[in-house]
Amino acid sequence: GQPRSVIYLAPEATPTATFAAEELRDHLQRVSGADVPIVNALPADPSTPVVLVGPSEAASARGVTAAGLASEGYRIKSGDKWLVLLGDDTEGAPQFSASWWQTDPVRYGTVTAVYRFLEELCGVRWFMPGELGTVVPAMRTVRVPQIDRRGAPAFEDRRPQFRGSLGNRPAPEWEGEMSNWMVRVGFGRTIIGHFNHTFHYLTKNQAL
């Protein structure tokens, strides 16, 4: 119920890493009641546990980088008094539009590392958008075991189709919550490719 650690976010952190750190802080508070602070400098006391979010010199010094990761890949690694959560990111914010026609590719491996940590170590689940679909187990103390894990999405294009039930796009008032939910559960897109209604012409030898 009280913070024993800090979340380290490098001063040059990307919007993706910043979002990931905030998501980690907010969910840890819901899990344990502890408001773990986000800091831009490593603690002076080496005995203070630190969670390093996003690529940084501090993470590299602990032997954890995004080098060699697949597209949107992530690393989760712990050591003595530290935990690193990072991944392959783009510079932009990790938002994924609920609109079916979104075309912009985005990579947010650091965010994925945070969500996989929350799922596997804290039991958090996001079954559907909103408070009703969010399950957050109560843990007065969150303990991190020795862990060294890397992963990446199996598919580069992971978009849902809501057009049939929602018309052309979700209502503006819940687009943001829908977007957050889709990022949390793993939807995303790093390639651009469309197969539209004219695709069937290719099988009939007709001109497009």
Short mmCIF file of all heavy atoms in Angstrom, two decimals, residues 36-85:
data_model
loop_
_atom_site.label_atom_id
_atom_site.label_comp_id
_atom_site.label_asym_id
_atom_site.label_seq_id
_atom_site.Cartn_x
_atom_site.Cartn_y
_atom_site.Cartn_z
N VAL A 36 3.25 5.08 -7.01
CA VAL A 36 4.68 5.01 -7.32
C VAL A 36 5.06 6.22 -8.16
O VAL A 36 4.50 6.42 -9.24
CB VAL A 36 5.01 3.70 -8.07
CG1 VAL A 36 6.51 3.61 -8.34
CG2 VAL A 36 4.54 2.49 -7.27
N PRO A 37 5.99 7.03 -7.71
CA PRO A 37 6.32 8.27 -8.45
C PRO A 37 7.11 7.99 -9.73
O PRO A 37 7.88 7.04 -9.81
CB PRO A 37 7.16 9.06 -7.45
CG PRO A 37 7.78 8.02 -6.57
CD PRO A 37 6.76 6.92 -6.45
N ILE A 38 6.88 8.84 -10.73
CA ILE A 38 7.67 8.83 -11.96
C ILE A 38 8.75 9.89 -11.82
O ILE A 38 8.45 11.06 -11.54
CB ILE A 38 6.79 9.12 -13.19
CG1 ILE A 38 5.72 8.02 -13.36
CG2 ILE A 38 7.64 9.22 -14.45
CD1 ILE A 38 4.74 8.30 -14.49
N VAL A 39 10.01 9.49 -12.00
CA VAL A 39 11.13 10.40 -11.82
C VAL A 39 11.98 10.43 -13.10
O VAL A 39 11.96 9.49 -13.89
CB VAL A 39 12.00 9.99 -10.61
CG1 VAL A 39 11.17 10.02 -9.33
CG2 VAL A 39 12.62 8.61 -10.83
N ASN A 40 12.72 11.52 -13.28
CA ASN A 40 13.60 11.68 -14.44
C ASN A 40 15.07 11.55 -14.08
O ASN A 40 15.95 11.82 -14.90
CB ASN A 40 13.36 13.03 -15.11
CG ASN A 40 11.96 13.14 -15.67
OD1 ASN A 40 11.19 14.02 -15.29
ND2 ASN A 40 11.60 12.25 -16.58
N ALA A 41 15.34 11.15 -12.84
CA ALA A 41 16.72 10.92 -12.40
C ALA A 41 16.74 9.67 -11.53
O ALA A 41 15.80 9.41 -10.77
CB ALA A 41 17.25 12.12 -11.62
N LEU A 42 17.79 8.89 -11.66
CA LEU A 42 17.90 7.67 -10.86
C LEU A 42 18.05 8.03 -9.39
O LEU A 42 18.68 9.04 -9.04
CB LEU A 42 19.10 6.84 -11.33
CG LEU A 42 18.99 6.25 -12.74
CD1 LEU A 42 20.30 5.62 -13.14
CD2 LEU A 42 17.85 5.23 -12.80
N PRO A 43 17.47 7.24 -8.49
CA PRO A 43 17.55 7.55 -7.06
C PRO A 43 19.00 7.51 -6.56
O PRO A 43 19.80 6.68 -7.00
CB PRO A 43 16.69 6.46 -6.41
CG PRO A 43 16.59 5.37 -7.43
CD PRO A 43 16.67 6.03 -8.76
N ALA A 44 19.32 8.42 -5.66
CA ALA A 44 20.67 8.48 -5.11
C ALA A 44 20.97 7.25 -4.25
O ALA A 44 22.12 6.79 -4.19
CB ALA A 44 20.83 9.75 -4.28
N ASP A 45 19.95 6.71 -3.61
CA ASP A 45 20.12 5.53 -2.76
C ASP A 45 20.04 4.28 -3.64
O ASP A 45 18.98 3.96 -4.19
CB ASP A 45 19.02 5.50 -1.70
CG ASP A 45 19.18 4.34 -0.73
OD1 ASP A 45 20.09 3.51 -0.93
OD2 ASP A 45 18.38 4.26 0.22
N PRO A 46 21.13 3.53 -3.81
CA PRO A 46 21.12 2.36 -4.69
C PRO A 46 20.22 1.23 -4.20
O PRO A 46 19.94 0.30 -4.96
CB PRO A 46 22.59 1.93 -4.71
CG PRO A 46 23.17 2.48 -3.44
CD PRO A 46 22.44 3.76 -3.18
N SER A 47 19.78 1.31 -2.96
CA SER A 47 18.90 0.25 -2.44
C SER A 47 17.44 0.48 -2.82
O SER A 47 16.60 -0.38 -2.55
CB SER A 47 19.03 0.17 -0.92
OG SER A 47 18.52 1.34 -0.29
N THR A 48 17.13 1.62 -3.44
CA THR A 48 15.75 1.91 -3.86
C THR A 48 15.44 1.14 -5.14
O THR A 48 16.11 1.33 -6.16
CB THR A 48 15.56 3.41 -4.12
OG1 THR A 48 15.85 4.14 -2.93
CG2 THR A 48 14.12 3.69 -4.54
N PRO A 49 14.44 0.28 -5.13
CA PRO A 49 14.07 -0.43 -6.36
C PRO A 49 13.59 0.56 -7.42
O PRO A 49 12.89 1.52 -7.12
CB PRO A 49 12.93 -1.35 -5.91
CG PRO A 49 13.11 -1.49 -4.44
CD PRO A 49 13.65 -0.16 -3.98
N VAL A 50 14.00 0.32 -8.66
CA VAL A 50 13.66 1.23 -9.75
C VAL A 50 13.13 0.44 -10.93
O VAL A 50 13.66 -0.61 -11.28
CB VAL A 50 14.88 2.09 -10.16
CG1 VAL A 50 16.05 1.22 -10.59
CG2 VAL A 50 14.51 3.08 -11.24
N VAL A 51 12.05 0.95 -11.52
CA VAL A 51 11.48 0.38 -12.74
C VAL A 51 11.82 1.32 -13.88
O VAL A 51 11.39 2.47 -13.89
CB VAL A 51 9.95 0.22 -12.63
CG1 VAL A 51 9.41 -0.46 -13.89
CG2 VAL A 51 9.58 -0.58 -11.40
N LEU A 52 12.61 0.86 -14.83
CA LEU A 52 13.05 1.68 -15.95
C LEU A 52 12.14 1.42 -17.14
O LEU A 52 12.07 0.28 -17.63
CB LEU A 52 14.50 1.38 -16.32
CG LEU A 52 15.52 1.59 -15.18
CD1 LEU A 52 15.87 0.25 -14.54
CD2 LEU A 52 16.78 2.26 -15.70
N VAL A 53 11.43 2.45 -17.58
CA VAL A 53 10.45 2.30 -18.66
C VAL A 53 10.98 2.99 -19.92
O VAL A 53 11.27 4.19 -19.91
CB VAL A 53 9.09 2.91 -18.26
CG1 VAL A 53 8.10 2.81 -19.42
CG2 VAL A 53 8.54 2.20 -17.03
N GLY A 54 11.08 2.22 -20.99
CA GLY A 54 11.55 2.76 -22.27
C GLY A 54 13.05 2.66 -22.41
O GLY A 54 13.79 2.57 -21.42
N PRO A 55 13.55 2.68 -23.65
CA PRO A 55 14.99 2.66 -23.88
C PRO A 55 15.67 3.87 -23.24
O PRO A 55 15.16 4.98 -23.29
CB PRO A 55 15.10 2.71 -25.41
CG PRO A 55 13.79 2.17 -25.91
CD PRO A 55 12.78 2.65 -24.92
N SER A 56 16.83 3.65 -22.63
CA SER A 56 17.56 4.73 -21.98
C SER A 56 18.98 4.26 -21.71
O SER A 56 19.30 3.07 -21.80
CB SER A 56 16.90 5.12 -20.64
OG SER A 56 16.97 4.05 -19.72
N GLU A 57 19.85 5.22 -21.39
CA GLU A 57 21.22 4.87 -21.03
C GLU A 57 21.24 4.01 -19.77
O GLU A 57 22.06 3.10 -19.63
CB GLU A 57 22.04 6.13 -20.82
CG GLU A 57 22.30 6.92 -22.10
CD GLU A 57 23.21 8.11 -21.85
OE1 GLU A 57 23.69 8.26 -20.71
OE2 GLU A 57 23.46 8.88 -22.80
N ALA A 58 20.33 4.29 -18.85
CA ALA A 58 20.27 3.51 -17.61
C ALA A 58 19.88 2.06 -17.89
O ALA A 58 20.42 1.14 -17.28
CB ALA A 58 19.27 4.16 -16.65
N ALA A 59 18.97 1.85 -18.83
CA ALA A 59 18.61 0.48 -19.20
C ALA A 59 19.75 -0.21 -19.92
O ALA A 59 20.04 -1.39 -19.68
CB ALA A 59 17.35 0.50 -20.07
N SER A 60 20.43 0.53 -20.82
CA SER A 60 21.57 -0.03 -21.54
C SER A 60 22.68 -0.45 -20.58
O SER A 60 23.35 -1.47 -20.78
CB SER A 60 22.11 0.98 -22.55
OG SER A 60 21.14 1.30 -23.53
N ALA A 61 22.87 0.34 -19.52
CA ALA A 61 23.90 0.02 -18.54
C ALA A 61 23.59 -1.28 -17.82
O ALA A 61 24.51 -1.93 -17.29
CB ALA A 61 24.02 1.16 -17.52
N ARG A 62 22.34 -1.68 -17.83
CA ARG A 62 21.94 -2.95 -17.23
C ARG A 62 21.83 -4.05 -18.28
O ARG A 62 21.29 -5.12 -18.01
CB ARG A 62 20.61 -2.76 -16.49
CG ARG A 62 20.78 -1.92 -15.23
CD ARG A 62 19.47 -1.31 -14.75
NE ARG A 62 19.61 -0.63 -13.49
CZ ARG A 62 20.15 0.60 -13.34
NH1 ARG A 62 20.60 1.24 -14.40
NH2 ARG A 62 20.25 1.14 -12.14
N GLY A 63 22.31 -3.77 -19.49
CA GLY A 63 22.35 -4.78 -20.54
C GLY A 63 21.04 -5.02 -21.24
O GLY A 63 20.86 -6.06 -21.87
N VAL A 64 20.12 -4.05 -21.17
CA VAL A 64 18.81 -4.22 -21.79
C VAL A 64 18.59 -3.09 -22.80
O VAL A 64 18.53 -1.92 -22.41
CB VAL A 64 17.67 -4.22 -20.75
CG1 VAL A 64 16.35 -4.61 -21.42
CG2 VAL A 64 17.98 -5.16 -19.60
N THR A 65 18.47 -3.44 -24.06
CA THR A 65 18.22 -2.47 -25.11
C THR A 65 17.16 -3.01 -26.07
O THR A 65 16.76 -4.17 -25.97
CB THR A 65 19.50 -2.15 -25.91
OG1 THR A 65 19.84 -3.29 -26.73
CG2 THR A 65 20.66 -1.83 -24.99
N ALA A 66 16.74 -2.17 -27.00
CA ALA A 66 15.78 -2.59 -28.02
C ALA A 66 16.48 -3.18 -29.24
O ALA A 66 15.81 -3.59 -30.20
CB ALA A 66 14.89 -1.41 -28.44
N ALA A 67 17.80 -3.23 -29.23
CA ALA A 67 18.55 -3.75 -30.37
C ALA A 67 18.19 -5.22 -30.62
O ALA A 67 18.14 -6.03 -29.69
CB ALA A 67 20.05 -3.62 -30.11
N GLY A 68 17.93 -5.52 -31.87
CA GLY A 68 17.64 -6.90 -32.24
C GLY A 68 16.22 -7.33 -32.04
O GLY A 68 15.86 -8.48 -32.38
N LEU A 69 15.37 -6.45 -31.51
CA LEU A 69 13.98 -6.82 -31.31
C LEU A 69 13.23 -6.80 -32.64
O LEU A 69 13.52 -5.99 -33.52
CB LEU A 69 13.29 -5.85 -30.34
CG LEU A 69 13.72 -5.92 -28.88
CD1 LEU A 69 12.96 -4.87 -28.07
CD2 LEU A 69 13.48 -7.31 -28.30
N ALA A 70 12.26 -7.67 -32.78
CA ALA A 70 11.40 -7.65 -33.95
C ALA A 70 10.52 -6.41 -33.92
O ALA A 70 10.47 -5.69 -32.92
CB ALA A 70 10.53 -8.91 -33.98
N SER A 71 9.84 -6.14 -35.02
CA SER A 71 8.93 -5.00 -35.07
C SER A 71 7.92 -5.09 -33.94
O SER A 71 7.26 -6.11 -33.76
CB SER A 71 8.20 -4.99 -36.42
OG SER A 71 7.29 -3.92 -36.49
N GLU A 72 7.83 -4.03 -33.13
CA GLU A 72 6.94 -3.97 -31.96
C GLU A 72 7.38 -4.92 -30.85
O GLU A 72 6.61 -5.17 -29.92
CB GLU A 72 5.49 -4.25 -32.32
CG GLU A 72 4.83 -3.23 -33.21
CD GLU A 72 3.36 -3.51 -33.38
OE1 GLU A 72 3.01 -4.31 -34.28
OE2 GLU A 72 2.55 -2.96 -32.59
N GLY A 73 8.59 -5.45 -30.94
CA GLY A 73 9.06 -6.37 -29.92
C GLY A 73 9.28 -5.68 -28.58
O GLY A 73 9.39 -4.46 -28.50
N TYR A 74 9.37 -6.47 -27.51
CA TYR A 74 9.54 -5.89 -26.17
C TYR A 74 10.45 -6.77 -25.33
O TYR A 74 10.67 -7.95 -25.61
CB TYR A 74 8.18 -5.73 -25.48
CG TYR A 74 7.46 -7.03 -25.18
CD1 TYR A 74 7.69 -7.72 -23.99
CD2 TYR A 74 6.56 -7.58 -26.08
CE1 TYR A 74 7.04 -8.91 -23.72
CE2 TYR A 74 5.90 -8.77 -25.82
CZ TYR A 74 6.15 -9.43 -24.63
OH TYR A 74 5.51 -10.62 -24.36
N ARG A 75 11.00 -6.16 -24.28
CA ARG A 75 11.82 -6.85 -23.29
C ARG A 75 11.27 -6.57 -21.90
O ARG A 75 10.89 -5.45 -21.57
CB ARG A 75 13.27 -6.35 -23.33
CG ARG A 75 14.08 -6.74 -24.53
CD ARG A 75 14.47 -8.21 -24.56
NE ARG A 75 15.12 -8.69 -23.36
CZ ARG A 75 16.43 -8.62 -23.13
NH1 ARG A 75 17.23 -8.03 -24.01
NH2 ARG A 75 16.94 -9.14 -22.03
N ILE A 76 11.27 -7.61 -21.09
CA ILE A 76 10.96 -7.50 -19.66
C ILE A 76 12.08 -8.22 -18.93
O ILE A 76 12.23 -9.43 -19.07
CB ILE A 76 9.61 -8.15 -19.31
CG1 ILE A 76 8.47 -7.51 -20.11
CG2 ILE A 76 9.34 -8.05 -17.80
CD1 ILE A 76 7.13 -8.19 -19.89
N LYS A 77 12.89 -7.48 -18.20
CA LYS A 77 14.01 -8.10 -17.51
C LYS A 77 14.22 -7.47 -16.15
O LYS A 77 14.13 -6.25 -16.00
CB LYS A 77 15.29 -7.97 -18.34
CG LYS A 77 16.48 -8.72 -17.72
CD LYS A 77 17.69 -8.73 -18.63
CE LYS A 77 18.84 -9.54 -18.02
NZ LYS A 77 20.01 -9.60 -18.91
N SER A 78 14.49 -8.31 -15.16
CA SER A 78 14.72 -7.81 -13.81
C SER A 78 16.11 -8.18 -13.34
O SER A 78 16.75 -9.10 -13.86
CB SER A 78 13.68 -8.40 -12.84
OG SER A 78 13.83 -9.81 -12.74
N GLY A 79 16.59 -7.43 -12.37
CA GLY A 79 17.88 -7.69 -11.74
C GLY A 79 17.80 -7.30 -10.29
O GLY A 79 16.71 -7.16 -9.72
N ASP A 80 18.94 -7.09 -9.67
CA ASP A 80 18.98 -6.73 -8.26
C ASP A 80 18.47 -5.30 -8.07
O ASP A 80 19.14 -4.34 -8.45
CB ASP A 80 20.40 -6.86 -7.73
CG ASP A 80 20.48 -6.59 -6.23
OD1 ASP A 80 19.44 -6.72 -5.55
OD2 ASP A 80 21.57 -6.24 -5.76
N LYS A 81 17.28 -5.16 -7.57
CA LYS A 81 16.65 -3.86 -7.29
C LYS A 81 16.24 -3.10 -8.54
O LYS A 81 16.04 -1.88 -8.49
CB LYS A 81 17.57 -2.96 -6.44
CG LYS A 81 17.98 -3.55 -5.11
CD LYS A 81 16.81 -3.66 -4.15
CE LYS A 81 17.27 -4.16 -2.79
NZ LYS A 81 16.13 -4.29 -1.83
N TRP A 82 16.12 -3.78 -9.70
CA TRP A 82 15.68 -3.07 -10.90
C TRP A 82 14.84 -3.97 -11.79
O TRP A 82 14.95 -5.19 -11.78
CB TRP A 82 16.85 -2.48 -11.68
CG TRP A 82 17.92 -3.45 -12.12
CD1 TRP A 82 19.07 -3.75 -11.46
CD2 TRP A 82 17.92 -4.25 -13.31
NE1 TRP A 82 19.81 -4.67 -12.17
CE2 TRP A 82 19.13 -4.99 -13.31
CE3 TRP A 82 17.04 -4.40 -14.38
CZ2 TRP A 82 19.47 -5.88 -14.33
CZ3 TRP A 82 17.37 -5.29 -15.40
CH2 TRP A 82 18.57 -6.01 -15.38
N LEU A 83 14.00 -3.31 -12.58
CA LEU A 83 13.16 -3.96 -13.58
C LEU A 83 13.14 -3.05 -14.81
O LEU A 83 12.93 -1.85 -14.68
CB LEU A 83 11.73 -4.15 -13.06
CG LEU A 83 10.67 -4.57 -14.08
CD1 LEU A 83 10.91 -6.00 -14.56
CD2 LEU A 83 9.27 -4.43 -13.49
N VAL A 84 13.38 -3.62 -15.98
CA VAL A 84 13.35 -2.85 -17.23
C VAL A 84 12.17 -3.31 -18.07
O VAL A 84 11.97 -4.52 -18.28
CB VAL A 84 14.66 -3.01 -18.03
CG1 VAL A 84 14.54 -2.31 -19.38
CG2 VAL A 84 15.84 -2.45 -17.25
N LEU A 85 11.40 -2.34 -18.56
CA LEU A 85 10.29 -2.59 -19.46
C LEU A 85 10.49 -1.69 -20.67
O LEU A 85 10.36 -0.47 -20.57
CB LEU A 85 8.95 -2.26 -18.79
CG LEU A 85 8.64 -2.99 -17.48
CD1 LEU A 85 7.44 -2.36 -16.79
CD2 LEU A 85 8.38 -4.47 -17.74
#
